[in-house]
Amino acid sequence: MESYVVHTNYDEYAIFLTQKFSRHHGPTITAQLYGKGLLLDVPTGVKGREPQLRESLLQDFRVVAQGVGIPEDSIFTMADRGT
């Protein structure tokens, strides 16, 4: 497994890519958006305390995720349930 920070502004968020290798399933790429009190994880979605992310940040994340081959229909934003 390899993980990389591919984009960050250090004060607000960081976008990570993780590539896993499996003999049975081949390579898998996961994109994650970490920010103050939040986690946006493809394909599992947003988890955290911040109810709103600025739309331009979500769009940047979508561009990065799609750029590594993650389709738009695999990018989810889930409601915070106060976990």
Side-chain angles (χ1 to χ4, degrees):
M1 180 168 59
E2 298 176 358
S3 294
Y4 304 94
V5 175
V6 294
H7 198 272
T8 186
N9 72 357
Y10 298 99
D11 295 322
E12 182 183 10
Y13 71 93
I15 298 174
F16 287 80
L17 291 180
T18 301
Q19 186 169 18
K20 299 176 186 177
F21 302 94
S22 167
R23 291 182 186 177
H24 298 100
H25 303 289
T28 302
I29 296 178
T30 302
Q32 297 175 318
L33 171 59
Y34 288 93
K36 292 184 179 181
L38 61 92
L39 165 63
L40 175 60
D41 188 2
V42 172
T44 59
V46 173
K47 301 174 184 176
R49 293 180 289 277
E50 294 293 327
Q52 296 291 322
L53 299 172
R54 56 186 173 89
E55 187 57 38
S56 62
L57 180 55
L58 290 172
Q59 184 58 35
D60 290 347
F61 178 74
R62 287 183 188 100
V63 168
V64 169
Q66 290 174 332
V68 296
I70 298 171
E72 177 68 28
D73 63 356
S74 293
I75 301 172
F76 298 95
T77 303
M78 298 170 54
D80 180 17
R81 295 180 181 236
T83 57

